[in-house]
């Protein structure tokens, strides 16, 4: 197998054993190159040491990939004696046995391997021919080497997990029953992702704080974060509080309905894995459990969820509901069913026929509880045709658009070079996604000034965080930042650059470092810079007048060396590199370089209170209209004209048309899941809509949206999946009402606390779970 090397990754390598630090991404933090390429690069540029990685075969499709992060495993010898090591997923169980036998001082031919993926149960590994991935090993798996072939758990009987008295698995592996399980693993094994990018610090699966307790309310149980699994925990908590479904599993009714022959299912593995997890959560003897066994099942059948990257709770929920449905589908032999449409003259008959056809292939507890029916109407736009096509389709959740304004208000403060002139604020209304180059032109028209006289910058907490270049979009402006237009000298000289300047003073010191406190108003400075002809003396000279204007009278009478120094910095709180005053060496720096005026005493700085005025454009008022769930539903069912890329084929015209499309709710399910489409793409940029949506906690009446309700469509809220933060990861939590004690709780991974439903009504509400209460 070919070996690959991680190029340019030495900044992120642990010098011990050449281990790559976590949270590093291919293409961003390192580059994979072949062995020959690495040798050439090293000969040309030096560097090293080489971090070697192997190509391995993974997954059901037997695809090849580079194993950047090998498996991290733990040998459990005694209660407080563990050995951590790494092995490849393609290494065999036989190779593992040899290593463990050596570490545990057991003859290799007598060694027996027990593994624990964090679920509380120990599983005996009996097939030496499997590789570690096929045998179900994941990161942080505990391994116990036993010399006694009959031993089923460590001899010290130490409680590894919260659920030390956990419910026995319905599919526990042992020496007599492991063959089918391991053969299934061999057929379906999936690779585990090698990138662990934690948005929140995961709780260790082996911490004593997770031990069992008495007198805990059933269902009031947290789920440990296994490493970026908050998205899964949030969806699971919402589904766990879906009373009818959880009661179905806790009563064991699923056992008689598991369909192991369904080619679209997972052989019952999903249903059994979910059932085992629910039993632990609702046993009432533990404050939290680790869903590692369930995660292993999910990753095995959906490789996109197998690693430790952040994912979407709605995508996980959709996969889980679909997987449970197929595992519990009572239809053993699915017939071919042709989809038909109607002309809209007899909707009741057409809808009933479509539902009967759906049930010919789909009958499960998921269909009974979660599925409703949509009516979709398409009409040809050609006057001489006007063909109408109506179809009825099942749905499991409603993905609702969030009404948002197409414009954005920008407040920009103009900072004149003359400190005696006031700072003037302007307000502009521009289209979302507008580039800053266009903003500069519009701003020039508004102010009547040449756009070359200003530098637009983003400022936050005393820092000029970045210069707003022409290609940046206004959607990339941070919420906690302000826009400033700094007046600069409009010079025709080519050999000038603008630099960012901040003020700071030395602050707290530790044994190893010094921290600095940023204060005052940052500014932009234009300096004459000729490459290879600009020294430290020149730099201080170019700053002299500007900084003198910032000095108090006392400071102006002192030697400048006793008042301030200049540092080149990346962050104002870090020390940076001192620019020596008398250094005659040529300086090299770049456009938008940041300099820190480091004052010897803050008292030397004259904090000038500049007058602030507002331009008449500030009278433009920002809309504060609150968005409601009713607004989202109204937008969802409103008629739209299909786009060029989504044209409908008109059977009468025999060509594709931009038809008028209208969706309606024909009926609604017992459990209604509503998904807010908060993530959107605008002009190539993905953004998150943090709009606060007002949704009812009780009495949601959908009568005006439902064309043919089987019951009065009135619903009460019982769970919410919440997403906070931005697109880069963020964090998922959940709110839920326990269907047994009717109390509301907040679920934040392994931490559970009492709550009220009103706490869920935030701009982070992402998935809403309602139960039908109408008669």
């Amino acid at each position: 197998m070919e070996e690959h090397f991680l190029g340019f990754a030495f900044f992120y390598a642990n010098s011990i054993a050449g281990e790559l630090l976590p949270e590093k991404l291919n293409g961003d933090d390192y580059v994979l190159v072949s062995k020959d390429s690495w040798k050439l690069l090293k000969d040309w540029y030096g560097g090293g040491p080489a971090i070697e990685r192997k190509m391995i075969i993974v997954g059901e499709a037997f695809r090849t990939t580079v194993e950047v992060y090998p498996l991290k495993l733990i040998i459990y010898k005694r209660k407080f004696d563990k050995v951590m090591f790494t092995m490849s997923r393609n290494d065999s169980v036989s190779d593992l046995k040899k290593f463990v036998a050596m570490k545990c001082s057991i003859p290799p031919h007598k060694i027996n391997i027990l593994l624990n993926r964090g679920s509380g149960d120990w599983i005996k590994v009996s097939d030496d021919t499997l590789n570690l991935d096929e045998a179900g090993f994941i990161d942080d798996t505990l391994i116990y080497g036993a010399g006694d072939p009959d031993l089923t758990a460590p001899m010290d009987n130490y409680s590894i997990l919260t659920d030390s008295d956990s419910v026995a698995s319905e599919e526990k592996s042992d020496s007599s029953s492991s063959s089918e399980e391991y053969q299934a693993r061999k057929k379906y094994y999936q690779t585990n992702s090698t990138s662990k990018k934690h948005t929140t610090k995961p709780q260790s699966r082996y911490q004593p704080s997770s031990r069992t307790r008495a007198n805990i309310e059933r269902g009031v149980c947290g789920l440990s974060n296994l490493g970026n699994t908050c998205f899964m925990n949030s969806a699971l908590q919402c589904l766990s509080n879906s009373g009818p479904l959880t009661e179905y599993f806790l009563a064991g009714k699923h056992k008689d309905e598991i369909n192991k022959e369904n080619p679209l299912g997972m052989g019952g593995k999903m249903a059994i894995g979910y059932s085992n997890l629910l039993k632990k959560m609702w046993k009432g003897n533990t404050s939290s459990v680790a869903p590692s066994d369930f995660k292993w099942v999910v990753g095995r059948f959906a490789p996109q969820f197998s690693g430790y990257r952040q994912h979407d709770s709605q995508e996980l929920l959709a996969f889980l509901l679909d997987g449970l449905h197929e595992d519990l589908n009572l239809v053993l032999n699915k017939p071919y069913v042709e989809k038909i449409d109607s002309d809209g003259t007899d909707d009741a008959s057409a809808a009933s026929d479509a539902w009967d056809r759906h049930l010919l292939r789909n009958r499960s507890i998921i269909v009974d509880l979660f599925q409703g029916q949509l009516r979709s109407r398409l009409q040809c736009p050609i006057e001489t045709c006007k063909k109408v096509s109506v179809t009825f389709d099942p749905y499991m959740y409603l993905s609702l658009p969030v009404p948002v304004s197409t414009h954005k208000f920008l407040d920009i403060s103009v900072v004149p070079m003359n400190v005696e002139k006031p700072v003037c604020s302007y307000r502009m209304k521009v289209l979302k996604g507008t580039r800053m180059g266009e903003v500069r032109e519009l701003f020039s028209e508004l102010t009547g000034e040449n756009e070359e006289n200003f530098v637009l910058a983003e400022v936050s907490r005393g820092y000029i965080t970045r210069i707003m270049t022409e290609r940046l979009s206004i959607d990339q402006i941070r919420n906690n930042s302000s826009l400033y237009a700094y007046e600069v000298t409009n010079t025709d000289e080519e050999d000038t650059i603008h630099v960012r300047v901040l003020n700071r003073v030395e602050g707290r010191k530790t044994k190893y470092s010094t921290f600095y406190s940023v204060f005052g108003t940052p500014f932009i400075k234009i300096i004459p810079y000729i490459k290879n002809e600009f020294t430290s003396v020149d730099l201080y000279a170019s700053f002299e007048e500007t900084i003198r204007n910032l000095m108090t009278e006392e400071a102006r009478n002192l030697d400048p060396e006793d008042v301030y120094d200049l540092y080149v910095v990346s962050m104002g709180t870090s020390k940076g590199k001192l620019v020596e005053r008398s250094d005659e060496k040529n300086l090299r720096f770049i456009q938008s370089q940041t300099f820190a005026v480091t004052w010897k005493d803050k008292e030397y700085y004259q904090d000038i209170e500049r007058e602030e005025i507002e331009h008449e454009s500030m009278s433009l008022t920002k809309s504060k209209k609150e968005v409601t769930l009713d607004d989202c539903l109204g937008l969802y069912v409103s008629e739209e004209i299909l786009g060029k890329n989504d044209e409908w084929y008109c059977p009468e015209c025999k060509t594709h048309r931009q038809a008028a499309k209208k969706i309606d709710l024909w009926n609604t399910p017992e459990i209604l899941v509503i998904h807010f489409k908060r993530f959107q793409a605008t002009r190539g940029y993905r953004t998150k809509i943090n709009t606060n949506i007002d949704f009812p906690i009780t009495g949601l009446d959908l009568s005006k949206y439902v064309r043919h309700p089987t019951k009065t469509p009135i619903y009460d809220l019982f769970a919410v999946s919440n997403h906070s933060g931005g697109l880069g990861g963020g964090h998922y939590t959940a709110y839920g009402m326990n269907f047994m004690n009717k109390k509301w709780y907040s679920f934040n991974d392994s931490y559970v606390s009492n709550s009220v439903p009103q706490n869920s009504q935030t701009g982070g509400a992402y998935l809403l779970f309602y139960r039908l209460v109408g008669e």
Side-chain angles (χ1 to χ4, degrees):
M1 191 71 65
E2 184 181 1
E3 291 180 322
H4 276 67
F5 289 70
L6 300 183
F8 313 111
F10 50 86
F11 291 112
Y12 308 107
N14 184 339
S15 59
I16 302 174
E19 179 186 350
L20 191 70
L21 295 180
E23 304 183 18
K24 305 306 170 190
L25 299 178
N26 185 19
D28 292 336
D29 302 313
Y30 62 83
V31 178
L32 294 167
V33 296
S34 67
K35 189 173 184 177
D36 291 339
S37 298
W38 170 260
K39 287 181 178 178
L40 283 174
L41 289 168
K42 189 176 181 182
D43 289 343
W44 293 340
Y45 304 109
I51 304 176
E52 300 183 31
R53 292 294 183 263
K54 295 180 179 179
M55 293 284 292
I56 62 172
I57 299 174
V58 295
E60 184 178 354
F62 298 99
R63 64 183 179 88
T64 58
T65 187
V66 178
E67 189 177 36
V68 178
Y69 290 90
L71 276 174
K72 290 184 179 181
L73 305 173
I74 306 169
I75 297 177
Y76 177 81
K77 299 174 73 175
R78 284 177 296 278
K79 183 172 180 178
F80 299 109
D81 188 2
K82 301 182 181 69
V83 177
M84 298 188 68
F85 65 103
T86 61
M87 290 191 77
S88 171
R89 289 168 176 77
N90 276 186
D91 285 340
S92 67
V93 172
S94 177
D95 295 331
L96 176 66
K97 282 188 172 183
K98 294 175 184 177
F99 183 83
V100 175
M102 177 185 68
K103 291 294 182 181
C104 296
S105 302
I106 299 174
H109 65 282
K110 292 185 178 182
I111 189 75
N112 288 288
I113 295 291
L114 301 174
L115 71 84
N116 190 305
R117 292 192 295 264
S119 64
D121 296 320
W122 290 88
I123 301 172
K124 187 174 182 179
V125 183
S126 56
D127 191 341
D128 289 4
T129 64
L130 297 176
N131 65 38
L132 301 185
D133 200 51
E134 294 170 320
F137 287 82
I138 61 175
D139 274 333
D140 299 329
T141 296
L142 280 180
I143 299 164
Y144 185 75
D148 183 354
D150 298 321
L151 200 64
T152 59
M155 296 182 65
D156 59 15
N157 199 28
Y158 176 53
S159 174
I160 305 257
L161 262 191
T162 313
D163 202 10
S164 60
D165 189 25
S166 62
V167 179
S169 169
E170 297 169 27
E171 198 178 33
K172 186 178 282 187
S173 298
D174 55 33
S175 57
S176 61
S177 63
S178 61
S179 176
E180 181 182 351
E181 166 73 7
Y182 289 134
Q183 289 306 314
R185 285 181 184 155
K186 193 166 186 176
K187 183 177 180 181
Y188 293 111
Y189 73 89
Q190 304 289 348
T191 184
N192 290 292
S193 171
T194 55
S195 176
K196 291 186 178 181
K197 199 166 185 178
H198 301 289
T199 53
T200 57
K201 186 177 181 180
Q203 180 183 356
S204 169
R205 277 169 275 177
Y206 312 111
Q207 289 182 352
S209 61
S210 302
R211 293 186 180 184
T212 59
R213 301 177 185 175
N215 301 320
I216 294 178
E217 292 274 9
R218 296 185 65 187
V220 185
C221 178
L223 294 170
S224 299
N225 191 323
L226 308 177
N228 266 349
T229 56
C230 58
F231 74 96
M232 181 180 74
N233 294 346
S234 175
L236 286 173
Q237 291 291 5
C238 292
L239 208 56
S240 170
N241 285 290
S242 303
L245 183 65
T246 297
E247 288 176 329
Y248 165 87
F249 277 104
L250 294 181
K253 295 180 181 179
H254 66 288
K255 296 179 182 178
D256 297 328
E257 299 183 355
I258 288 177
N259 185 346
K260 294 188 176 182
E261 306 304 320
N262 185 358
L264 299 179
M266 304 170 195
K269 305 290 185 184
M270 179 65 71
I272 291 172
Y274 183 66
S275 172
N276 286 339
L277 180 61
L278 281 182
K279 288 178 180 178
K280 295 173 184 178
M281 294 174 67
W282 287 86
K283 192 172 185 182
N285 70 335
T286 179
S287 61
S288 68
V289 298
S292 46
D293 277 348
F294 178 76
K295 183 184 183 300
W296 182 80
V297 173
V298 171
R300 188 173 142 192
F301 294 99
Q304 67 269 30
F305 297 121
S306 64
Y308 296 92
R309 295 189 182 216
Q310 182 68 284
H311 292 280
D312 189 295
S313 66
Q314 185 270 332
E315 292 177 359
L316 186 279
L317 178 71
F319 168 77
L320 176 54
L321 288 176
D322 188 62
L324 290 176
H325 160 63
E326 296 295 356
D327 268 5
L328 300 170
N329 197 341
L330 298 176
V331 179
L332 299 180
N333 297 302
K334 293 188 175 187
Y336 169 75
V337 176
E338 184 178 358
K339 185 176 180 179
I340 60 173
D341 61 358
S342 67
D343 59 6
T345 57
D346 188 358
D347 282 347
S349 176
S352 177
D353 183 55
W355 188 252
D356 289 340
R357 288 170 177 267
H358 177 62
L359 293 182
L360 289 175
R361 294 174 57 85
N362 303 278
R363 289 175 56 212
S364 71
I365 183 69
I366 303 300
V367 174
D368 295 343
L369 295 177
F370 290 88
Q371 289 194 358
Q373 206 172 11
L374 292 174
R375 177 185 186 270
S376 178
R377 180 182 186 273
L378 290 162
Q379 184 172 23
C380 181
I382 304 302
E383 287 294 334
T384 56
C385 179
K386 291 295 182 181
K387 166 68 177 175
V388 172
S389 172
V390 175
T391 56
F392 293 87
D393 302 294
Y395 69 90
M396 199 135 52
Y397 50 86
L398 296 177
S399 287
L400 304 184
V402 180
V404 292
S405 171
T406 57
H407 290 77
K408 186 173 184 177
F409 286 93
L410 290 183
D411 289 352
I412 304 177
S413 299
V414 176
V415 183
M417 292 178 62
N418 188 341
V419 294
E420 295 181 357
K421 290 185 177 181
V423 175
C424 186
S425 298
Y426 293 80
R427 179 168 292 167
M428 301 169 58
K429 184 180 180 181
V430 294
L431 280 171
K432 289 184 176 179
T434 300
R435 305 277 185 181
M436 292 306 299
E438 186 177 347
V439 170
R440 286 174 59 90
E441 294 176 5
L442 295 172
F443 187 65
S444 176
E445 294 176 9
L446 178 62
T447 60
E449 297 287 345
N450 189 329
E451 62 180 273
E452 299 299 325
N453 291 346
F454 296 98
V455 174
L456 284 178
E458 188 178 30
V459 177
S460 176
R461 294 180 296 177
Y463 296 88
I464 297 176
T465 52
R466 59 178 166 179
I467 304 298
M468 305 305 290
T469 58
E470 291 191 354
R471 292 194 58 79
L472 280 175
S473 164
I474 64 171
D475 297 333
Q476 295 174 276
I477 299 173
R478 301 173 181 88
N479 292 331
N480 61 345
S481 297
S482 302
L483 277 184
Y484 283 81
Y486 289 95
E487 185 184 11
V488 295
T489 304
N490 186 4
T491 175
D492 294 329
E493 296 180 23
E494 295 183 359
D495 297 323
T496 60
I497 64 173
H498 58 261
V499 296
R500 296 178 277 186
V501 187
L502 57 88
N503 297 284
R504 67 177 187 175
V505 68
E506 190 177 287
R508 181 172 59 91
K509 286 186 176 182
T510 67
K511 183 178 180 181
Y512 301 103
S513 60
T514 301
F515 296 90
Y516 294 84
S517 175
V518 177
F519 64 91
T521 305
F523 58 93
I524 299 287
K525 175 70 178 173
I526 301 293
I527 60 176
Y529 175 72
I530 302 176
K531 189 176 180 180
N532 298 325
E533 296 182 21
F534 193 79
T535 67
S536 300
V537 176
D538 298 324
L539 179 67
Y540 275 94
S542 65
F543 270 88
E544 182 177 358
E545 183 179 354
T546 302
I547 296 180
R548 185 172 179 80
N549 289 333
L550 298 175
M551 293 181 185
T552 60
E553 286 297 329
E554 176 190 358
R556 291 175 185 174
N557 295 323
L558 299 175
D559 189 323
E561 293 187 21
D562 298 326
V563 177
Y564 73 95
D565 288 315
L566 291 176
Y567 284 77
V568 179
V569 298
S570 56
M571 287 289 292
T573 53
S574 61
K575 184 175 182 179
K577 181 176 177 57
L578 173 66
V579 180
E580 299 286 351
R581 292 176 180 273
S582 57
D583 194 344
E584 293 292 339
K585 293 182 180 179
N586 292 322
L587 294 179
R588 298 183 64 183
F589 46 84
I590 59 175
Q591 192 83 263
S592 299
Q593 182 77 61
T594 300
F595 286 92
V597 181
T598 306
W599 299 83
K600 300 296 180 68
D601 192 319
K602 192 174 180 180
E603 297 299 322
Y604 293 154
Y605 175 79
Q606 181 180 212
D607 193 3
I608 302 173
E609 291 290 337
R610 299 185 68 164
E611 181 185 359
E612 296 184 7
I613 60 175
E614 292 186 351
H615 184 260
E616 60 183 17
S617 61
M618 292 298 290
S619 61
L620 286 171
T621 56
K622 299 181 180 180
S623 174
K624 294 185 178 180
K625 181 181 179 295
E626 186 175 49
V627 175
T628 66
L629 176 56
D630 196 57
D631 295 329
C632 300
L633 286 165
L635 190 59
Y636 180 74
V637 301
S638 62
E639 185 173 279
E640 64 172 330
I641 304 300
L642 297 180
K644 275 286 187 182
N645 296 327
D646 300 309
E647 291 182 328
W648 167 64
Y649 182 79
C650 176
E652 294 292 330
C653 299
K654 306 298 184 184
T655 188
H656 288 87
R657 300 292 191 193
Q658 285 184 265
K661 181 178 181 181
K662 176 77 164 66
I663 291 178
D664 290 294
L665 305 182
W666 184 250
N667 57 42
T668 53
E670 183 174 342
I671 296 176
L672 177 64
V673 180
I674 293 176
H675 163 231
F676 291 129
K677 297 167 74 171
R678 291 191 177 274
F679 303 103
Q680 66 174 11
T682 305
R683 295 194 181 185
Y685 293 97
R686 292 191 71 235
T687 57
K688 182 190 173 187
I689 303 170
N690 290 304
T691 302
N692 191 11
I693 302 171
D694 182 28
F695 51 87
I697 294 169
T698 59
L700 170 63
D701 190 350
L702 299 178
S703 298
K704 67 178 180 179
Y705 298 108
V706 182
R707 298 284 293 266
H708 191 267
T710 54
K711 295 181 180 180
T712 306
I714 297 178
Y715 288 83
D716 286 349
L717 186 75
F718 70 84
V720 177
S721 174
N722 184 78
H723 179 269
S724 58
L727 292 173
H731 182 55
Y732 286 93
T733 56
Y735 295 93
M737 184 186 74
N738 186 299
F739 66 87
M740 289 188 177
N741 64 19
K742 308 302 180 185
K743 296 178 181 178
W744 278 81
Y745 297 92
S746 170
F747 299 91
N748 186 354
D749 289 331
S750 57
Y751 302 100
V752 183
S753 58
N754 291 310
S755 188
V756 292
Q758 290 76 12
N759 289 343
S760 67
Q761 295 176 307
T762 69
Y766 188 48
L767 297 174
L768 308 182
F769 288 72
Y770 283 94
R771 61 184 178 87
L772 185 66
V773 295
E775 293 297 334

